[in-house]
Amino acid sequence: MRETFGRRLLLFGCLLLIFMSYYKWSVTQEQKTELKQEVRKQLLRELCHDEKNLGNIAQKDLRHLIVNDKHGIIYCFIPKVACTHWKKVMYVLKQNEPYPDLTSLQNVSIHTRNKFSFLSSFSKAEIKVRLKHYTKFLFVRDPFVRLISAYRDKFGKKDQYFYGLFARDILRLYGNETNPPKTANEALASGLRPSFHNFIQYLLDPKTERNEPFEPHWRQMHRLCHPCLIQYDFVGHQETLQEDAQELLEILKLHNDIKFPPSYVNMTSPDSVMNWFRTVPLEDRRRLYKLYERDFQLFGYRRPDELLDG
C-alpha cells in the first residue's frame, strides 16, 4: 500500500514537470528544484508518519552526520554515494576564503574522521538545536547499484583492510575455501576473491549482524542517516548528482565559491545490474530485496521487477 503511494507520488511529480515543460509554462529552475525536493520529502513524510521520535536514536548512531557550524550545515554521508566529493566540500568550508579547489585534495586523506565535527560528539541539547536550525542534506542511490559498487570497490581489487576483516571469512564460509590466503596479496596472486554471490550470501546470513551492524559500505542507507527521525531539507540522488549538487550549492549560496567536481562515469548500467545478478539465485535476490526494501521505498527507487519476478 505504502509502496504504491510512493510510486504514485513520484509519478505525479515527474508528470507535473513534463506537463509544465510541454506547455512551456514559465517555470524557473528554482521552482523545479522546489517541486522535485517536495516530492522526495513528501514521500519520506508519508512513509515515516509513525517514526518521529528523535529520542530513539543513540548518539553513536549519529556518527555519519558531519556538522559545519560556520555555515550551519549538516551532511549525512553514505559510502558509495559521492561521499568523497561531499566530504571535500565539507572540508574546504572549514578553510578560509577563497576556498581550495576540491580537485586539489587527496581522496584517501579526506576520509580521516579527525578532519570533521560529527553530530554524535555534541550533547543532546546541542544536537537538538543544530537539527532544528541547520540545513541538513544527504545523497542516496539505487540500493542494488550501491551494493554492486561496494563489492567492486572492496572485493574486486586489492584491499588488505577489507580482505582481512571480511573477504577471508566470506571465502571460508561461502566460497568453499577451507584455508584462504592470509593476505590480500597472496589472494590476488592465486586469483582468489569472493564472488558477488558469496557477498550476497554473507549479507543474507543472519549470523552476519549477530555481533555488530553491517559495515557502512553496505549498511542500509536509512540506518545510516535516519530519514524518518531527522527532517532533511535536501535529498539528492546519485543518478542526478551534477544537477542536484548545483541546486544544493545554490540553496546554500555557495555556488559562486565551490565548484563541484564532475561525476565519475557510472560503470553500473541497468543492463549490467542484470548481468551482476545472473549468478545470484532468484530466491536470494528476493531475500536481498527484502533486506533493502526500506531503502527502495523511502527514497523512491522502483522495485526491480526484472530481477525478482523471473
Side-chain angles (χ1 to χ4, degrees), residues 87-95 105 110 115-116:
K87 281 185 177 180
K88 288 180 178 181
V89 172
M90 297 299 286
Y91 177 74
V92 300
L93 289 179
K94 295 172 58 179
Q95 317 304 315
L105 304 178
I110 204 65
K115 282 184 166 52
F116 304 103

Side-chain angles (χ1 to χ4, degrees), residues 9 70 84 86 115 196 199 202 210 219 278:
L9 182 62
K70 177 182 174 183
T84 297
W86 283 113
K115 282 184 166 52
F196 183 62
F199 176 51
Y202 162 77
R210 181 168 294 172
R219 194 179 309 170
R278 287 190 195 284

Side-chain angles (χ1 to χ4, degrees), residues 160 163-164 168 179-187:
Q160 182 56 45
Y163 181 81
R168 192 164 187 265
N179 187 29
K182 293 184 178 180
T183 70
N185 280 333
E186 292 174 308

Side-chain angles (χ1 to χ4, degrees), residues 165-166 202 207-216 219 223:
L165 281 181
F166 303 103
Y202 162 77
K207 297 177 184 177
T208 297
E209 286 202 281
R210 181 168 294 172
N211 296 322
E212 60 183 45
F214 279 165
E215 203 282 333
R219 194 179 309 170
R223 293 173 64 191

Side-chain angles (χ1 to χ4, degrees), residues 196-198 200-201 204 274-286 288 307:
F196 183 62
H197 183 215
N198 292 157
I200 301 306
Q201 290 173 292
L204 294 176
M274 177 64 80
N275 289 333
W276 278 100
F277 276 92
R278 287 190 195 284
T279 60
V280 180
L282 180 60
E283 185 55 35
D284 283 354
R285 298 181 200 175
R286 290 172 175 169
L288 187 70
L307 295 176

